[in-house]
mmCIF file of all heavy atoms in Angstrom:
data_model
loop_
_atom_site.group_PDB
_atom_site.id
_atom_site.type_symbol
_atom_site.label_atom_id
_atom_site.label_comp_id
_atom_site.label_asym_id
_atom_site.label_seq_id
_atom_site.Cartn_x
_atom_site.Cartn_y
_atom_site.Cartn_z
ATOM 1 N N TYR A 69 -25.405 -139.759 -58.601
ATOM 2 C CA TYR A 69 -26.489 -140.669 -58.876
ATOM 3 C C TYR A 69 -26.326 -142.037 -58.223
ATOM 4 O O TYR A 69 -27.233 -142.844 -58.237
ATOM 5 C CB TYR A 69 -26.656 -140.843 -60.396
ATOM 6 C CG TYR A 69 -26.962 -139.522 -61.037
ATOM 7 C CD1 TYR A 69 -25.961 -138.693 -61.507
ATOM 8 C CD2 TYR A 69 -28.276 -139.066 -61.111
ATOM 9 C CE1 TYR A 69 -26.232 -137.485 -62.066
ATOM 10 C CE2 TYR A 69 -28.562 -137.822 -61.682
ATOM 11 C CZ TYR A 69 -27.547 -137.043 -62.142
ATOM 12 O OH TYR A 69 -27.850 -135.829 -62.672
ATOM 13 N N ALA A 70 -25.174 -142.278 -57.683
ATOM 14 C CA ALA A 70 -24.891 -143.584 -57.070
ATOM 15 C C ALA A 70 -25.457 -143.663 -55.650
ATOM 16 O O ALA A 70 -25.563 -142.647 -54.965
ATOM 17 C CB ALA A 70 -23.382 -143.832 -57.028
ATOM 18 N N THR A 71 -25.811 -144.856 -55.251
ATOM 19 C CA THR A 71 -26.334 -145.074 -53.901
ATOM 20 C C THR A 71 -25.251 -145.615 -52.992
ATOM 21 O O THR A 71 -25.523 -145.934 -51.853
ATOM 22 C CB THR A 71 -27.530 -146.033 -53.937
ATOM 23 O OG1 THR A 71 -27.079 -147.274 -54.533
ATOM 24 C CG2 THR A 71 -28.689 -145.451 -54.721
ATOM 25 N N GLY A 72 -24.043 -145.737 -53.491
ATOM 26 C CA GLY A 72 -22.937 -146.255 -52.696
ATOM 27 C C GLY A 72 -21.671 -146.216 -53.531
ATOM 28 O O GLY A 72 -21.617 -145.546 -54.573
ATOM 29 N N PRO A 73 -20.623 -146.917 -53.091
ATOM 30 C CA PRO A 73 -19.374 -146.952 -53.851
ATOM 31 C C PRO A 73 -19.606 -147.505 -55.258
ATOM 32 O O PRO A 73 -20.449 -148.403 -55.468
ATOM 33 C CB PRO A 73 -18.471 -147.891 -53.046
ATOM 34 C CG PRO A 73 -19.084 -147.972 -51.694
ATOM 35 C CD PRO A 73 -20.554 -147.721 -51.867
ATOM 36 N N ILE A 74 -18.901 -146.975 -56.224
ATOM 37 C CA ILE A 74 -19.038 -147.406 -57.598
ATOM 38 C C ILE A 74 -17.877 -148.328 -57.952
ATOM 39 O O ILE A 74 -16.772 -147.883 -58.175
ATOM 40 C CB ILE A 74 -19.068 -146.189 -58.556
ATOM 41 C CG1 ILE A 74 -20.128 -145.218 -58.117
ATOM 42 C CG2 ILE A 74 -19.276 -146.642 -59.983
ATOM 43 C CD1 ILE A 74 -19.997 -143.863 -58.727
ATOM 44 N N GLY A 75 -18.154 -149.625 -57.988
ATOM 45 C CA GLY A 75 -17.132 -150.603 -58.314
ATOM 46 C C GLY A 75 -17.237 -151.121 -59.732
ATOM 47 O O GLY A 75 -16.236 -151.349 -60.395
ATOM 48 N N GLN A 76 -18.499 -151.226 -60.204
ATOM 49 C CA GLN A 76 -18.722 -151.714 -61.580
ATOM 50 C C GLN A 76 -19.763 -150.854 -62.243
ATOM 51 O O GLN A 76 -20.707 -150.375 -61.591
ATOM 52 C CB GLN A 76 -19.195 -153.173 -61.546
ATOM 53 C CG GLN A 76 -18.177 -154.121 -60.970
ATOM 54 C CD GLN A 76 -18.660 -155.567 -61.027
ATOM 55 O OE1 GLN A 76 -19.835 -155.838 -61.228
ATOM 56 N NE2 GLN A 76 -17.723 -156.481 -60.869
ATOM 57 N N VAL A 77 -19.596 -150.680 -63.542
ATOM 58 C CA VAL A 77 -20.575 -149.958 -64.362
ATOM 59 C C VAL A 77 -20.807 -150.778 -65.618
ATOM 60 O O VAL A 77 -19.996 -151.619 -65.999
ATOM 61 C CB VAL A 77 -20.142 -148.511 -64.719
ATOM 62 C CG1 VAL A 77 -20.022 -147.637 -63.494
ATOM 63 C CG2 VAL A 77 -18.866 -148.506 -65.546
ATOM 64 N N ALA A 78 -21.904 -150.458 -66.263
ATOM 65 C CA ALA A 78 -22.216 -151.077 -67.567
ATOM 66 C C ALA A 78 -22.815 -150.023 -68.460
ATOM 67 O O ALA A 78 -23.521 -149.119 -67.998
ATOM 68 C CB ALA A 78 -23.188 -152.236 -67.391
ATOM 69 N N MET A 79 -22.512 -150.118 -69.755
ATOM 70 C CA MET A 79 -23.127 -149.269 -70.736
ATOM 71 C C MET A 79 -23.996 -150.167 -71.620
ATOM 72 O O MET A 79 -23.491 -151.090 -72.228
ATOM 73 C CB MET A 79 -22.089 -148.552 -71.604
ATOM 74 C CG MET A 79 -22.681 -147.452 -72.508
ATOM 75 S SD MET A 79 -23.493 -147.952 -74.023
ATOM 76 C CE MET A 79 -22.113 -148.304 -75.061
ATOM 77 N N GLY A 80 -25.276 -149.915 -71.585
ATOM 78 C CA GLY A 80 -26.223 -150.714 -72.404
ATOM 79 C C GLY A 80 -26.682 -149.923 -73.591
ATOM 80 O O GLY A 80 -27.028 -148.730 -73.500
ATOM 81 N N LEU A 81 -26.703 -150.560 -74.757
ATOM 82 C CA LEU A 81 -27.181 -149.970 -75.993
ATOM 83 C C LEU A 81 -28.430 -150.720 -76.438
ATOM 84 O O LEU A 81 -28.434 -151.939 -76.486
ATOM 85 C CB LEU A 81 -26.094 -150.070 -77.071
ATOM 86 C CG LEU A 81 -26.494 -149.739 -78.489
ATOM 87 C CD1 LEU A 81 -26.908 -148.260 -78.635
ATOM 88 C CD2 LEU A 81 -25.349 -150.055 -79.461
ATOM 89 N N ALA A 82 -29.484 -149.963 -76.752
ATOM 90 C CA ALA A 82 -30.745 -150.566 -77.189
ATOM 91 C C ALA A 82 -31.222 -149.890 -78.463
ATOM 92 O O ALA A 82 -31.041 -148.693 -78.646
ATOM 93 C CB ALA A 82 -31.791 -150.426 -76.092
ATOM 94 N N TRP A 83 -31.844 -150.707 -79.319
ATOM 95 C CA TRP A 83 -32.500 -150.192 -80.503
ATOM 96 C C TRP A 83 -33.515 -151.227 -80.986
ATOM 97 O O TRP A 83 -33.496 -152.356 -80.493
ATOM 98 C CB TRP A 83 -31.491 -149.832 -81.612
ATOM 99 C CG TRP A 83 -30.836 -150.981 -82.299
ATOM 100 C CD1 TRP A 83 -31.205 -151.537 -83.485
ATOM 101 C CD2 TRP A 83 -29.705 -151.752 -81.869
ATOM 102 N NE1 TRP A 83 -30.365 -152.590 -83.826
ATOM 103 C CE2 TRP A 83 -29.421 -152.735 -82.840
ATOM 104 C CE3 TRP A 83 -28.861 -151.696 -80.738
ATOM 105 C CZ2 TRP A 83 -28.391 -153.652 -82.705
ATOM 106 C CZ3 TRP A 83 -27.834 -152.610 -80.613
ATOM 107 C CH2 TRP A 83 -27.618 -153.561 -81.597
ATOM 108 N N ASP A 84 -34.379 -150.840 -81.904
ATOM 109 C CA ASP A 84 -35.427 -151.751 -82.367
ATOM 110 C C ASP A 84 -35.290 -151.964 -83.877
ATOM 111 O O ASP A 84 -34.769 -151.107 -84.620
ATOM 112 C CB ASP A 84 -36.805 -151.152 -82.090
ATOM 113 C CG ASP A 84 -37.160 -151.183 -80.614
ATOM 114 O OD1 ASP A 84 -36.563 -151.977 -79.874
ATOM 115 O OD2 ASP A 84 -38.020 -150.390 -80.218
ATOM 116 N N ILE A 85 -35.831 -153.090 -84.305
ATOM 117 C CA ILE A 85 -35.978 -153.311 -85.747
ATOM 118 C C ILE A 85 -36.832 -152.150 -86.272
ATOM 119 O O ILE A 85 -37.834 -151.790 -85.657
ATOM 120 C CB ILE A 85 -36.658 -154.689 -85.998
ATOM 121 C CG1 ILE A 85 -35.675 -155.819 -85.654
ATOM 122 C CG2 ILE A 85 -37.144 -154.797 -87.438
ATOM 123 C CD1 ILE A 85 -36.256 -157.193 -85.842
ATOM 124 N N THR A 86 -36.432 -151.584 -87.380
ATOM 125 C CA THR A 86 -37.079 -150.395 -87.911
ATOM 126 C C THR A 86 -37.771 -150.667 -89.219
ATOM 127 O O THR A 86 -37.109 -151.103 -90.176
ATOM 128 C CB THR A 86 -36.016 -149.279 -88.064
ATOM 129 O OG1 THR A 86 -35.383 -149.068 -86.792
ATOM 130 C CG2 THR A 86 -36.651 -147.976 -88.522
ATOM 131 N N ARG A 87 -39.072 -150.430 -89.269
ATOM 132 C CA ARG A 87 -39.889 -150.668 -90.464
ATOM 133 C C ARG A 87 -39.582 -152.072 -91.060
ATOM 134 O O ARG A 87 -39.414 -152.253 -92.255
ATOM 135 C CB ARG A 87 -39.648 -149.569 -91.485
ATOM 136 C CG ARG A 87 -40.234 -148.221 -91.043
ATOM 137 C CD ARG A 87 -39.945 -147.098 -92.021
ATOM 138 N NE ARG A 87 -38.556 -146.688 -92.044
ATOM 139 C CZ ARG A 87 -37.921 -146.003 -91.098
ATOM 140 N NH1 ARG A 87 -38.543 -145.653 -90.004
ATOM 141 N NH2 ARG A 87 -36.657 -145.648 -91.247
ATOM 142 N N GLY A 88 -39.471 -153.055 -90.151
ATOM 143 C CA GLY A 88 -39.279 -154.435 -90.562
ATOM 144 C C GLY A 88 -37.846 -154.788 -90.951
ATOM 145 O O GLY A 88 -37.571 -155.931 -91.293
#
Side-chain angles (χ1 to χ4, degrees):
Y69 299 91
T71 57
I74 306 165
Q76 296 183 345
V77 296
M79 190 280 283
L81 170 63
W83 72 97
D84 289 338
I85 290 178
T86 303
R87 291 176 291 287

